[in-house]
């Protein structure tokens, strides 16, 4: 009995060991799924890449430890329902441990939700919808760049060429809609918009697509972004080519789903012709030995399959991503098996009372799903598409893109883009450190061949968008041909030209888009039209803009939007000038103003008095009788005018005062001599009216330009209306001023400069304009064109083009070298206030020092001679001061004489 029990336990032990060993051994086969759209170029290329990857993985002895990797490929036909059904079959019947795909974003939304429920990792290599995220679908992983990256690159491309509006064409699914919404957000950051957009589906006919394109073309769209799959993109481009919308002036930008297949369309003549000049963005694939080996294997594999009637496709970007995705899953399975992981499932838990009749309800939940997911996320390796590394959220890291341009039968790389550095002509490299900022000169691309075989950057927009030309109102009046003029040739063709017209044309030519317009005259040309009425027509949309010598005023600015002023046009006063000569009896008094004469005389007396005070105690030249002292003192001080004084100065303080005084005299004499010389020798023109205030207070008649705002301005200054005389042209200015019909003309500076350049009998009265303003172009309120033209005007000013146009039309002639001086400025006290102030300080200090010294010397004597204290009357105190001062002068003079 004992031996039977022993045998039983031995057999049971052997059985347990066998079960443990059997459970720990790796499975013979592991199946993964692939959801592709096999009727598309991307799907066919991905199928070949996946089969190549599986073949090479199974041949690699270091991977999977003997387990054979199998792949089950299903066709979702770019349909969400078919994709969901195919995914159910892969998960339920084939028991796949992971799914590569889906290929399209629309299918990915359904399958990613199923992956979340069953915990089967979904690894897509081509679903770029930015709303597919780890936060919404925890088991969804993306081994490609999100549309968010390439939409940011396209917005940067639009900003680089300063385009403002983009037309968007996109697929009518989640991929297209969400991608364009991302593009809209990125364009708003760079100041651009999407005014027109349209969804394009596979079911649309050629005529339907043509109708959409024609509508956008007529509306002024010139920059098109195509965000569709390759088949729809081909239909859009070929129809645009038939509509001649792939010619000069247009820009077509395609996203990765279309640009990734352009390498292999050289056999499609219709597609090649339609794609000429388009620009595309796609992920940058660095060259490597692995990539070259893959291309060689691809060629061998496809040749063998093609001989057997198998339809293949050329390798493209998504084929490379599909290849690396299979390797990524294989590395993750290898890590999972190395950690003794097992592929076990459990039934899906249904709520009480729920039924399990549907296939979705009978799906099993992968108990291993979370571990395999972690292994996939932490996988890092160098694949044929470059460095393969995922973020914690399951997104492919890196943002290097390639900018390609279709020319001939192939693509040319014109530059690269990176989120951190922007555009560059240098290919990204791991050896080159990332820079956070790149100068504008470095942010460039190689020359792009645009549609129509054009090397010049297209303007990007056609204005107006209504399909008609802008109607520009131009004021026509008699005279002033330098500013605006109209000529009609023998064939009755009207041509507008002049300073204002050339500035406007130059501003429009510098805009980053095309503006079509035509000029229409306002007025009959025989009289000056009302500029306020012209501005009102712009405000009422009768004109799309107004161009000419239009002054920006507060009243007009309330009605329309003005551009930045392109010339200064303040109001000035023009009057006749009379030649005056300074050969008058009192001409020698003209160099100094009255205050200057009074101050100079006061300082002569003041200086003489101070010198007498400082010298009278020690210098007998200043002693003697009072009369002699007065005569000597003033003889001395006035003789300093000629530096011929004979009296000696003995005291130190006196010498200091005299030296500084001689310097003051030297400055005064030099200034007086120079001014008097100018007065007596220079020919001077003096205005008949001195300034605007003099004009307003007088009763002379005032001329103004007919139709301008000057009349309202003068009426606001309380000038009587019967004093105002309208004048039509510069010629009437001259005749009216010469015949004394008007005593002065008030007009804007540009007109006056034109008058003075040819007629020297008149001059501007006053030093500067008494009203500041400028000329601008008028646009309706809210016009975006006004802001762009303002920027263009500033650009013209900065580059010097505005000055060149000014010199071309408003060059001065006969009087250009003459300086008309209309006001003679006498030498004023302000010019010498510093000199007089310094001298006064020195004199006061010297006098105070002398007084303090005299007080100290006479203090004791004054105390001994003091009388008993009593309050004297005012009269007695004044009499005593006069007698004391007279005695002091007499005694001091006698003492000095005796000495």
């Amino acid at each position: 009995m004992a031996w039977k029990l022993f045998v039983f336990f031995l057999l049971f032990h052997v059985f347990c060991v066998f079960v443990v060993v059997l459970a720990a051994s790796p499975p013979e086969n592991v199946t993964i799924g692939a959801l592709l759209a096999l009727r598309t170029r991307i799907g066919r290329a991905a199928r070949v890449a996946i089969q190549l990857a599986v073949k090479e993985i199974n041949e690699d002895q270091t991977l999977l430890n003997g387990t054979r990797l199998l792949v089950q490929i299903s066709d979702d036909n770019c349909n969400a329902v078919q994709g969901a059904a195919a995914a159910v079959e892969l998960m339920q019947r084939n028991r796949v441990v992971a799914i590569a795909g889906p290929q399209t974003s629309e299918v990915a939304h359904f399958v990613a939700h199923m992956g979340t429920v069953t915990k089967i990792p979904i690894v897509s290599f081509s679903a770029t919808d930015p709303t597919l995220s780890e936060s919404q679908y925890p088991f969804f992983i993306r081994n490609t760049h999100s549309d968010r990256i390439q939409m940011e690159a396209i917005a940067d491309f639009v900003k680089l060429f300063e385009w403002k509006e983009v037309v968007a064409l996109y697929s009518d699914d989640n991929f297209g809609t969400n991608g364009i919404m991302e593009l809209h957000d990125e364009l708003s950051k760079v100041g651009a918009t999407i005014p027109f957009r349209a969804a394009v589906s596979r079911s649309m006919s050629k005529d339907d697509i043509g109708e959409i394109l024609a509508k956008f073309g007529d509306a002024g769209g010139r920059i098109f972004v195509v965000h569709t799959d390759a088949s729809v993109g081909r239909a859009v481009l070929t129809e645009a080519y038939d509509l001649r919308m792939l010619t000069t002036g247009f820009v077509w930008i395609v996203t990765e789903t279309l640009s990734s297949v352009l390498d292999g369309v050289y056999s499609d003549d219709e597609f090649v012709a339609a794609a000429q000049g388009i620009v595309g963005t796609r992920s940058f694939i660095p060259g490597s030995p692995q990539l070259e080996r893959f291309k060689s294997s691809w060629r061998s594999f496809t040749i063998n399959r093609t001989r057997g009637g198998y339809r293949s496709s050329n390798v493209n970007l998504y084929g490379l991503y599909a290849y690396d995705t299979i390797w990524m899953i294989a590395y993750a399975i290898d890590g999972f098996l190395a950690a003794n992981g097992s592929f076990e499932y459990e039934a899906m838990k249904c709520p009480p009372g729920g039924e399990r009749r549907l296939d979705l309800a009978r799906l099993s939940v992968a108990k291993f799903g979370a571990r395999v997911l972690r292994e996939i996320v932490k996988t890092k390796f160098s694949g044929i598409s470059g460095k393969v590394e995922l973020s914690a959220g399951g997104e492919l890291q890196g943002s290097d893109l390639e900018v390609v341009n279709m020319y001939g039968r192939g693509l040319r790389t014109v530059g690269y883009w990176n989120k951190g550095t922007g555009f560059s002509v240098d290919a990204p490299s791991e050896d080159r450190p990332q820079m956070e900022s790149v100068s504008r000169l470095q942010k460039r691309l190689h020359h792009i061949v645009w549609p129509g075989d054009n090397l010049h950057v297209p303007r990007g927009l056609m204005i107006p968008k209504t399909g008609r030309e802008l109607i520009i109102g131009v004021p026509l009046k008699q005279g002033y041909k330098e500013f605006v003029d109209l000529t009609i040739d023998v064939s009755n063709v009207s041509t507008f030209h002049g300073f204002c017209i050339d500035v406007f044309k130059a501003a429009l030519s510098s805009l980053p888009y095309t503006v079509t317009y035509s000029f229409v005259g306002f007025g009959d040309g025989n009289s000056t039209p009302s500029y306020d009425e012209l501005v009102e027509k712009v405000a009422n949309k009768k004109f799309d803009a107004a161009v000419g010598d239009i002054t920006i005023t507060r009243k007009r600015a309330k009605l329309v939007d003005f551009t930045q002023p392109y010339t200064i046009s303040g109001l000035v006063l023009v009057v006749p000038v009379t030649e005056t000569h300074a050969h008058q009896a009192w001409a020698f008094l003209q160099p100094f103003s009255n205050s200057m004469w009074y101050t100079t005389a006061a300082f002569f007396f003041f200086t003489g008095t101070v010198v007498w005070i400082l010298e009278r105690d020690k210098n007998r030249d200043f002693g003697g009788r009072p009369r002699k002292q007065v005569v000597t003192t003033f003889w001395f001080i006035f003789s300093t005018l000629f530096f011929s004084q004979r009296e000696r100065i003995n005291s130190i303080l006196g010498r200091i005062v005299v030296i500084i005084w001689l310097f003051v005299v030297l400055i005064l004499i030099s200034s007086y001599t120079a001014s008097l010389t100018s007065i007596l020798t220079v020919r001077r023109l003096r205005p008949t009216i001195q300034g605007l205030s003099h004009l307003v207070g007088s009763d002379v008649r005032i001329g103004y330009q007919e139709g301008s705002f000057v009349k309202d301005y003068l009426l606001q200054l309380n000038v009587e209306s019967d004093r105002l005389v309208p004048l039509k042209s510069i010629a009437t200015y001259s005749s009216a001023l010469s015949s004394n019909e008007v005593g002065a003309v008030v007009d804007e500076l540009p007109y006056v400069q034109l008058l003075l350049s040819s007629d020297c009998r008149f001059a501007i009265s006053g030093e500067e304009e008494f009203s500041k303003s400028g000329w601008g172009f008028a646009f309706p309120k809210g016009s975006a064109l006004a802001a762009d033209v303002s920027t263009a005007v500033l650009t013209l000013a900065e580059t010097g083009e505005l000055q060149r146009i000014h010199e071309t039309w408003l060059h001065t002639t006969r009087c250009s070298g003459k300086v008309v001086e209309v006001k003679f400025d006498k030498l004023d006290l302000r010019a010498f206030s510093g000199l007089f102030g310094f001298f006064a300080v020195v004199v006061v200090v010297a006098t105070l020092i002398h007084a303090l010294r005299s007080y100290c010397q006479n203090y004791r004597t004054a105390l001994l001679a003091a009388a008993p204290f009593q309050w004297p009357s005012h009269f007695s105190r004044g009499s005593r001061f006069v007698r004391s001062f007279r005695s002091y002068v007499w005694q001091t003079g006698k003492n000095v004489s005796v000495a």
Side-chain angles (χ1 to χ4, degrees):
M1 188 67 182
W3 67 272
K4 291 182 179 180
L5 185 62
F6 173 76
V7 171
F8 174 77
F9 279 108
L10 180 62
L11 292 176
F12 180 76
H13 180 70
V14 171
F15 175 77
C16 291
V17 171
F18 176 77
V19 170
V20 170
V21 171
L22 184 63
S25 62
E28 181 179 355
N29 298 315
V30 174
T31 304
I32 62 174
L35 278 175
L36 306 176
L38 297 177
R39 299 181 183 180
T40 65
R41 296 175 186 268
I42 294 176
R44 293 194 296 271
R47 177 174 58 182
V48 175
I50 290 172
Q51 292 171 340
L52 269 176
V54 171
K55 175 177 178 295
E56 294 176 4
I57 290 169
N58 290 328
E59 292 175 353
D60 191 339
Q61 300 299 323
T62 63
L63 198 63
L64 297 181
N65 193 22
T67 298
R68 184 175 180 80
L69 183 67
L70 302 179
V71 61
Q72 184 66 39
I73 300 177
S74 297
D75 186 5
D76 60 29
N77 198 29
C78 296
N79 184 279
V81 176
Q82 293 185 29
V88 169
E89 182 177 0
L90 291 174
M91 293 177 180
Q92 182 178 352
R93 293 185 174 87
N94 300 112
R95 291 288 176 135
V96 296
V97 300
I99 294 178
Q103 177 182 321
T104 63
S105 297
E106 184 178 10
V107 178
H109 277 277
F110 281 84
V111 178
H113 179 71
M114 295 172 62
T116 302
V117 174
T118 61
K119 297 184 179 180
I120 300 293
I122 309 298
V123 188
S124 178
F125 54 86
S126 58
T128 58
D129 184 354
T131 61
L132 286 168
S133 61
E134 181 265 345
S135 60
Q136 185 176 5
Y137 306 111
F139 282 81
F140 178 79
I141 295 171
R142 179 163 29 214
N143 185 32
T144 186
H145 290 121
S146 165
D147 280 340
R148 182 174 293 108
I149 298 296
Q150 68 170 332
M151 294 308 173
E152 187 174 347
I154 291 175
D156 211 4
F157 186 78
V158 171
K159 177 184 177 182
L160 183 67
F161 294 103
E162 299 180 352
W163 296 322
K164 298 299 182 182
E165 294 186 358
V166 170
V167 178
L169 302 171
Y170 55 94
S171 300
D172 60 340
D173 52 20
N174 292 329
F175 157 72
T177 303
N178 295 330
I180 291 302
M181 290 301 296
E182 195 68 34
L183 177 62
H184 176 273
D185 294 341
E186 295 298 332
L187 286 174
S188 64
K189 297 177 183 178
V190 300
T193 60
I194 304 179
F196 310 111
R197 66 182 73 185
V200 185
S201 65
R202 297 182 183 87
S203 60
M204 279 188 174
S205 65
K206 182 178 180 180
D207 293 338
D208 293 336
I209 297 175
E211 184 179 350
I212 293 174
L213 294 177
K215 180 179 67 174
F216 291 161
D218 292 341
R222 291 298 180 268
I223 310 297
F224 289 83
V225 174
V226 181
H227 185 54
T228 64
D229 59 42
S231 60
V232 176
R234 181 188 185 280
V236 170
L237 290 176
T238 53
E239 182 61 22
Y241 179 77
D242 292 340
L243 294 175
R244 301 188 61 80
M245 295 179 67
L246 275 155
T247 56
T248 301
F250 287 87
V251 175
W252 289 82
I253 304 171
V254 299
T255 56
E256 192 172 74
T257 49
L258 184 54
S259 63
S260 61
V261 302
L262 290 178
D263 302 273
V265 299
Y266 53 85
S267 59
D268 189 342
D269 293 336
E270 186 180 12
F271 197 179
V272 169
Q276 293 300 303
I278 68 173
V279 178
T281 59
R282 63 184 187 181
S283 299
F284 169 67
I285 305 298
S288 66
Q290 292 173 274
L291 180 60
E292 295 304 319
R293 288 195 297 269
F294 170 77
K295 291 180 178 180
S296 177
S297 301
W298 176 284
R299 286 190 292 269
S300 301
F301 187 85
T302 53
I303 289 174
N304 294 333
R305 291 300 183 94
T306 304
R307 289 172 180 173
Y310 183 90
R311 185 183 179 189
S312 182
S313 179
N314 295 300
V315 63
N316 56 48
L317 175 67
Y318 291 112
L320 306 183
Y321 278 134
Y323 179 89
D324 282 343
T325 297
I326 300 302
W327 276 93
M328 177 189 293
I329 296 174
Y331 281 125
I333 294 174
D334 183 63
F336 174 76
L337 295 176
N340 297 322
S342 61
F343 299 105
E344 298 179 359
Y345 297 86
E346 62 181 359
M348 183 181 298
K349 295 180 180 180
C350 293
E355 297 183 352
R356 300 173 56 87
R357 296 177 181 177
L358 299 176
D359 287 342
L360 292 177
R362 290 197 296 269
L363 289 175
S364 299
V365 178
K367 299 173 65 176
F368 57 84
R371 290 182 59 186
V372 173
L373 178 68
R374 288 194 296 270
E375 291 292 336
I376 293 175
V377 171
K378 71 179 184 181
T379 298
K380 299 179 182 178
F381 65 98
S382 294
I384 60 174
S385 63
K387 185 178 180 180
V388 179
E389 182 179 358
L390 301 177
S391 65
E395 295 282 346
L396 181 64
Q397 294 192 3
S399 62
D400 294 330
L401 299 183
E402 182 182 24
V403 182
V404 295
N405 178 213
M406 189 70 175
Y407 183 67
R409 289 189 172 271
L411 287 175
R412 35 189 303 270
T413 299
V414 295
Y416 306 89
W417 182 88
N418 180 276
K419 187 173 183 178
T421 61
F423 289 105
S424 174
V425 294
D426 299 323
S429 172
E430 295 183 3
D431 299 331
R432 187 183 62 183
Q434 293 289 334
M435 297 178 294
E436 292 299 327
S437 61
V438 181
S439 68
R440 181 174 177 82
L441 292 178
Q442 292 174 303
K443 290 184 178 182
R444 64 188 189 278
L445 299 170
H446 291 299
H447 290 298
I448 297 175
V449 181
W450 305 98
D453 203 19
N454 178 32
L455 292 177
H456 298 287
V457 179
R459 297 294 182 83
L461 186 66
M462 180 68 72
I463 291 183
K465 302 175 183 178
T466 57
R468 65 172 182 83
E469 294 181 330
L470 291 179
I471 305 301
I472 311 296
V474 181
L476 297 178
K477 55 187 177 181
Q478 184 178 359
Y480 310 101
K481 303 301 183 182
E482 292 81 0
F483 300 106
V484 174
D485 191 19
L486 171 64
T487 58
I488 302 177
D489 59 17
V490 293
S491 58
N492 204 29
V493 175
S494 301
T495 303
F496 287 85
H497 49 81
F499 170 68
C500 303
I501 301 298
D502 281 6
V503 172
F504 182 73
K505 290 180 177 179
L508 293 188
S509 66
S510 65
L511 294 178
Y513 49 82
T514 301
V515 179
T516 59
Y517 60 91
S518 61
F519 292 120
V520 174
F522 177 73
D524 56 9
N526 297 321
S527 60
T528 302
S530 172
Y531 279 57
D532 289 339
E533 292 182 8
L534 174 61
V535 171
E536 289 177 0
K537 286 185 176 293
V538 175
N540 297 331
K541 307 296 180 65
K542 299 294 181 61
F543 289 133
D544 297 304
V547 172
D549 46 347
I550 306 171
T551 304
I552 303 173
T553 64
R554 183 179 62 178
K555 175 183 176 181
R556 295 171 182 173
K558 292 180 179 180
L559 300 176
V560 297
D561 284 341
F562 280 100
T563 63
Q564 182 76 16
Y566 58 89
T567 188
I568 301 301
S569 62
L571 292 178
V572 293
L573 177 62
V574 182
V575 297
V577 292
T578 57
E579 185 172 355
T580 61
H581 300 278
H583 305 295
Q584 304 172 7
W586 300 98
F588 68 92
L589 294 178
Q590 293 183 7
F592 287 167
S593 64
N594 293 338
S595 60
M596 184 64 185
W597 280 118
Y598 297 148
T599 303
T600 303
F603 264 84
F604 266 96
F605 287 103
F606 174 60
T607 304
T609 302
V610 171
V611 171
W612 172 75
I613 292 173
L614 298 178
E615 292 294 319
R616 54 175 296 284
D617 289 337
K618 300 179 181 180
N619 194 336
R620 62 183 179 181
D621 289 341
F622 291 88
R625 299 177 64 83
R627 180 178 179 183
K628 177 179 179 299
Q629 293 182 44
V630 173
V631 172
T632 301
T633 299
F634 287 105
W635 169 260
F636 169 80
I637 200 63
F638 280 102
S639 63
T640 57
L641 282 171
F642 313 101
F643 303 98
S644 60
Q645 64 277 9
R646 295 178 299 174
E647 291 75 12
R648 297 181 58 186
I649 303 298
N650 295 332
S651 66
I652 299 299
L653 294 176
R655 291 176 179 177
I656 293 174
V657 171
V658 171
I659 290 174
I660 297 177
W661 172 250
L662 291 176
F663 175 73
V664 173
V665 170
L666 176 64
I667 298 299
L668 293 176
I669 292 176
S670 300
S671 302
Y672 175 85
T673 303
S675 182
L676 182 61
T677 302
S678 175
I679 291 173
L680 297 176
T681 58
V682 176
R683 170 179 175 266
R684 294 192 177 277
L685 299 176
R686 296 183 61 84
T688 55
I689 296 176
Q690 299 291 334
L692 181 64
S693 58
H694 183 200
L695 175 65
V696 173
S698 67
D699 58 355
V700 300
R701 293 164 64 85
I702 305 172
Y704 67 93
Q705 185 182 153
E706 183 182 18
S708 72
F709 71 99
V710 177
K711 178 180 179 180
D712 294 335
Y713 178 83
L714 293 175
L715 291 175
Q716 291 176 4
L717 297 179
N718 298 321
V719 177
E720 295 81 359
S721 59
D722 56 357
R723 290 176 53 194
L724 303 180
V725 179
L727 303 174
K728 294 184 177 181
S729 65
I730 292 180
T732 58
Y733 286 7
S734 300
S735 60
L737 288 170
S738 301
S739 62
N740 293 327
E741 180 184 353
V742 296
V745 171
V746 177
D747 205 351
E748 297 176 80
L749 184 60
Y751 304 120
V752 172
Q753 289 176 336
L754 192 61
L755 169 65
L756 299 183
S757 67
S758 58
D759 199 330
C760 304
R761 296 174 297 168
F762 314 107
I764 298 174
S765 180
E767 297 179 355
E768 57 184 11
E769 307 97 314
F770 50 83
S771 173
K772 298 289 186 180
S773 186
W775 290 353
F777 305 125
F779 291 89
K781 281 288 186 181
S783 173
L785 193 58
D788 291 344
V789 174
S790 291
T791 303
V793 169
L794 292 176
T795 302
L796 295 178
E798 292 173 357
T799 58
E801 180 65 15
L802 188 60
Q803 181 62 29
R804 187 195 65 78
I805 298 174
H806 184 277
E807 292 175 353
T808 300
W809 286 100
L810 305 179
H811 59 280
T812 55
T813 54
R814 185 161 55 93
C815 296
S816 60
K818 297 182 181 293
V819 177
V820 179
E821 192 171 341
V822 301
K823 183 179 179 181
F824 171 64
D825 294 326
K826 296 183 178 183
L827 295 176
D828 196 279
L829 180 59
R830 289 176 298 178
F832 300 93
S833 57
L835 183 65
F836 283 132
F838 171 71
F839 178 68
V841 170
V842 173
V843 169
V844 170
V845 171
T847 304
L848 290 176
I849 293 174
H850 176 75
L852 180 62
R853 183 186 301 169
S854 299
Y855 176 79
C856 293
Q857 291 176 355
N858 299 325
Y859 180 71
R860 187 176 300 275
T861 304
L863 288 177
L864 295 176
F869 177 79
Q870 58 180 350
W871 290 99
S873 64
H874 292 287
F875 177 77
S876 62
R877 280 185 292 176
S879 301
R880 183 182 302 172
F881 173 77
V882 173
R883 291 196 301 271
S884 299
F885 180 76
R886 185 176 59 188
S887 175
Y888 173 75
V889 173
W890 178 266
Q891 184 66 29
T892 303
K894 184 166 64 175
N895 292 339
V896 174
S897 298
V898 172

